[in-house]
Amino acid sequence: MLTVALHTLRSRWTTFTGSFVALSLGVALLTVTGLALASSSAAPDRAPERFAAAPVVVQGQDTLRVPTPVGDRTEKLARPRAVPAGTVAVLRRLGRVVEDRSFPVRVAGGPGERTEDWPGDLVGHPWSVAAFAPYEIAAGRAPRAAGEVVVSGGWAAPGERLRTDRGVVEVVGTVPDRGFENAVFYTDAQAARLSPVSLQLVVEADPSAVREAVRGDAGVRVLTGDDRRDADARPERDREALTAMNALFGTAGGVTAFVSVFVVASTFAFAVAQRRREFGLLRTAGATPGQVRRTVLAEGLAVGVLASAAGCALGSYGAPHLAAWVVDEGLAPAWFTIGDHTWPYHAAFWTGLLVALGGVVAASWRAGRTAPAQALREASMEARGMTRGRWLCGVALLLTALVTLTVALVDNPGELLHRKTYVSRPMLLISAAALLAPVVVRPLTRLLTWLPARLPGAAGMLVRENASAGARRTAAVAAPVLVTVALAGSLLGATATLNEAGATQVRARTAADFVVTAPDDTGFDAATVNRLRAVPGAAAVSPASPTAVYILEEDVALIGSEARAVADPAALAATTRLPLAAGKVTDLDDGSIIVNEEWERHSVGERVRVWLGDGTERTLRIAAVMPTGTGDNGVYVTSANAPGAPVDRVDVTVAAGSDADAVAEALRGAVGPAGGQVSDRVAWLASAHPETGTTTRAGLLLVLGIALLYTGISLVNTMVMATSDRTRDLAALRLAGATRWQVLRLTGAESLTVVAVGAVLGLVVAVLNLAGMWGALRLLSVHSTPDLPWTALAGVIGTCAVLAVIASVLPAALALRRRAVRLAGARE
């Protein structure tokens, strides 16, 4: 049987080449994503940056720690606390204490933007902390007066005057760029005026003495050695980047595994199904069912081993290119590279081999149990497309998809809005649609070709009959198109639908005529807020601050919720239409809170134990309850329950009879010194329209790019296999009098029909997925409509159509170069 298998591989190289390419590409993609996932599983040890030369750094409390029956639970505080003044006084007796301050700085002409001459993202510090990086003067001198600064890098030179949001300053010195920040150093006194609160400080003393001095202060941390890295700006950025990359590569790997298994199994099954005549001849020659099965399995094993090995080699070449892409796109830190890992190769190789064997098992079993005469009889016509196993699997997957969707809608509709859910859920429906495709291919093909079949000439009728008669072949060729269209419609449609739902919420919630936003995280000071309140013609002025509230649910889970703090609930009610399920906005006071239905306890009047943004524990009464929405319906408290939170937004309504343009001009004058932005309602809604995040967008593009590349190649392979299998049909058409160009046009038309079948099935899957998401949004009180990405879908379908036509017409043209009589005698 092994000899027969090797001879078969050599004689039917066209069929097995398609299977080899499909499998090797799938293994390569699994290898690439596996290597990337393994390399992003842990960050390398990073040395301290800003405080590399500091002996000891002391930080105030930045973590909330709550004891529970199963251990302490922790969350990062939204408003970290400063080191207590008494502790600072004790530390000063141990040695020199330098208070660190960091605040954003913007330069006129380039706020928030990077250009060739301006680095952007400037951050201010007191000059005394520069020595701990260490920074050293490269040109000029240190700052001595309030209007003098030292900058890092070469974007400004000594003697230049800069207009900043902190006033006009003169550059008196520069320090070399250290690569981790664009710093502006002020005098210590000026930095203290610009940023009064210091959250961490450097102590030049013995570390053990410092630890002893802060022993009684809960939450205060003493950082030495590599732990000083935690005092750098956003020390968690590497961990966040790794978490995002793990999610990105995990999603890409999961979709890659699904698409590769799906397409490879379909390709192998189709390749085996083409060979019914061979199986019939083998059975007639005396081969036993077991020998036929072993022959097919040996062929699958040979192709699987070679293709899996080739895929691993190809993946090792492609993985560094993927790493370079994610770094260039800003999705990964600059240090990210592909590490030396072996398990991704094993996982990809054995997965590919198992898929290859799994793809031929069912077909080989069916071929082996068929009687010789029956096999020869079936060789002249296509076997029934639906076996009992296919029926059972297809119906089971369809029911599983529908039942899980129903359960989610009833039990937790918000789950359907999560990225992991809307990425994974389409796979159930795609698998079910592919398995059940032969059932609908014939009626769908007849429907799509109804009009062409009634046009003059026989071409339309032949297209209809050929495509509908070969239902199994049509379903196999349409499978790659189904996968690509369904994934593109489901994934891009899900993000577009969520964005539109978020925009709908913002529109429904915004009642203000003008929205004033702060230029940076420092927010508006009290003087600016008072000037805004005093603007003539403003009926209601509602300043709000970002904060957070933490709650312990079920005594074991510490959960943080984003919150907004408002100074005047009545002004909030006038400028914002909060969606309420119960209660009133005006009932909010310093002893109450507005929550949403996601909270474990969400009945008006109930009292809940919470921790505020700075870690202060409070018990508050629930004044009102909001529906869940898309997850953006957070929590509202009063400003008294958000100590230290800066005002970042002020909503303003215009009094009846007042001139809106005059109010807008007065608002701009009021925020002028602070650099705020005044937007009318239309402009604010346009700027606040939700957009897909960079990581999510890149992840979707990566997933869809992999799917399109893989299914495109699979589509070409399957079309070549299907066309090469129809040489007799082409010969019959030529002998019946059809010209060469008529046969080629007919072949291209059949390919377009098959692509249309796959596109329709894929659209049905995408619509069903988005319908589930639409139902979830309706249950969450968000009344928006699903959004199908028609432009992207048209591009995907058009690409599939071009590939299908080329992959079918070109082999047919090559085959037609032989004489029709020779084609008629060609092996099927």
Side-chain angles (χ1 to χ4, degrees), residues 485-654:
V485 173
L487 281 178
S490 298
L491 300 187
L492 296 180
T495 55
T497 298
L498 287 177
N499 289 340
E500 181 57 33
T504 300
Q505 285 190 147
V506 173
R507 285 193 298 269
R509 186 180 302 176
T510 303
D513 297 307
F514 295 100
V515 177
V516 186
T517 52
D520 51 50
D521 294 339
T522 58
F524 294 128
D525 56 17
T528 302
V529 173
N530 290 333
R531 288 197 300 270
L532 290 171
R533 284 195 173 111
V535 167
V541 178
S542 177
S545 308
T547 185
V549 173
Y550 308 89
I551 187 170
L552 190 66
E553 293 195 351
E554 299 180 352
D555 292 329
V556 293
L558 184 62
I559 299 174
S561 297
E562 293 184 359
R564 301 289 294 174
V566 296
D568 184 0
L572 173 66
T575 58
T576 305
R577 294 185 291 264
L578 290 184
L580 295 181
K584 294 188 299 183
V585 173
T586 52
D587 288 343
L588 179 66
D589 55 30
D590 293 346
S592 62
I593 185 173
I594 297 176
V595 302
N596 60 59
E597 292 178 335
E598 281 189 323
W599 281 44
E600 180 185 12
R601 304 175 67 180
H602 55 265
S603 297
V604 173
E606 281 190 285
R607 302 190 71 80
V608 291
R609 177 192 180 202
V610 301
W611 288 264
L612 304 180
D614 65 348
T616 302
E617 184 178 346
R618 293 289 306 274
T619 298
L620 301 176
R621 173 182 53 83
I622 297 178
V625 180
M626 293 184 293
T628 302
T630 61
D632 295 333
N633 289 340
V635 176
Y636 283 83
V637 295
T638 60
S639 299
N641 290 317
V647 173
D648 69 339
R649 172 178 164 180
V650 180
D651 290 358
V652 180
T653 58
V654 178

Side-chain angles (χ1 to χ4, degrees), residues 737-759:
T739 66
R740 185 167 180 264
W741 290 110
Q742 286 176 325
V743 174
L744 293 180
R745 286 198 298 270
L746 178 64
T747 304
E750 289 181 13
S751 302
L752 291 177
T753 302
V754 173
V755 170
V757 169

Side-chain angles (χ1 to χ4, degrees), residues 215-570:
R215 185 180 300 277
D217 295 325
V220 175
R221 301 176 63 199
V222 177
L223 308 177
T224 59
D226 289 342
D227 290 341
R228 293 169 298 174
R229 170 76 178 168
D230 290 342
D232 290 333
R234 292 205 55 205
E236 72 283 358
R237 65 182 182 272
D238 285 351
R239 291 190 294 270
E240 292 175 353
L242 290 178
T243 300
M245 282 194 297
N246 275 318
L248 170 64
F249 295 137
T251 301
V255 174
T256 298
F258 166 75
V259 173
S260 60
V261 169
F262 179 87
V263 173
V264 169
S266 175
T267 303
F268 268 86
F270 180 56
V272 173
Q274 286 183 305
R275 301 168 54 200
R276 292 186 303 275
R277 181 178 293 275
E278 291 181 19
F279 298 147
L281 291 173
L282 287 173
R283 294 285 284 119
T284 303
T288 66
Q291 288 176 321
V292 172
R293 295 185 187 112
R294 286 194 295 272
T295 299
V296 176
L297 290 175
E299 294 167 358
L301 179 63
V303 174
V305 169
L306 294 176
S308 297
C312 288
L314 183 60
S316 66
Y317 172 78
H321 294 282
L322 175 64
W325 178 77
V326 295
V327 170
D328 291 341
E329 292 294 318
L331 303 177
W335 50 260
F336 178 70
T337 56
I338 298 298
D340 185 15
H341 304 280
T342 57
W343 70 259
Y345 293 101
H346 286 284
F349 179 87
W350 294 111
T351 299
L353 187 57
L354 289 175
V355 168
L357 295 177
V360 299
V361 163
S364 64
W365 181 265
R366 183 182 180 192
R369 70 178 183 175
T370 305
Q374 184 180 357
L376 288 173
R377 184 169 60 251
E378 287 189 352
S380 64
M381 58 179 294
E382 186 176 88
R384 60 192 180 96
M386 294 297 295
T387 62
R388 182 179 303 174
R390 188 162 186 161
W391 267 112
L392 290 175
C393 292
V395 172
L397 286 173
L398 180 60
L399 290 178
T400 300
L402 296 178
V403 169
T404 55
L405 175 62
T406 303
V407 170
L409 288 174
V410 173
D411 184 53
N412 185 15
E415 179 187 355
L416 297 176
L417 308 183
H418 297 162
R419 184 173 61 184
K420 289 183 179 179
T421 302
Y422 67 69
V423 168
S424 60
R425 183 169 291 279
M427 298 179 189
L428 283 174
L429 282 176
I430 291 173
S431 301
L435 288 171
L436 299 175
V439 179
V440 297
V441 159
R442 185 171 284 107
L444 182 57
T445 302
R446 290 186 172 276
L447 177 63
L448 292 175
T449 57
W450 179 82
L451 181 59
R454 280 156 178 75
L455 296 177
M461 180 193 66
L462 287 174
V463 169
R464 182 189 64 187
E465 297 303 326
N466 286 338
S468 60
R472 190 167 187 175
R473 181 181 67 238
T474 301
V477 177
V481 183
L482 161 64
V483 174
T484 309
V485 173
L487 281 178
S490 298
L491 300 187
L492 296 180
T495 55
T497 298
L498 287 177
N499 289 340
E500 181 57 33
T504 300
Q505 285 190 147
V506 173
R507 285 193 298 269
R509 186 180 302 176
T510 303
D513 297 307
F514 295 100
V515 177
V516 186
T517 52
D520 51 50
D521 294 339
T522 58
F524 294 128
D525 56 17
T528 302
V529 173
N530 290 333
R531 288 197 300 270
L532 290 171
R533 284 195 173 111
V535 167
V541 178
S542 177
S545 308
T547 185
V549 173
Y550 308 89
I551 187 170
L552 190 66
E553 293 195 351
E554 299 180 352
D555 292 329
V556 293
L558 184 62
I559 299 174
S561 297
E562 293 184 359
R564 301 289 294 174
V566 296
D568 184 0

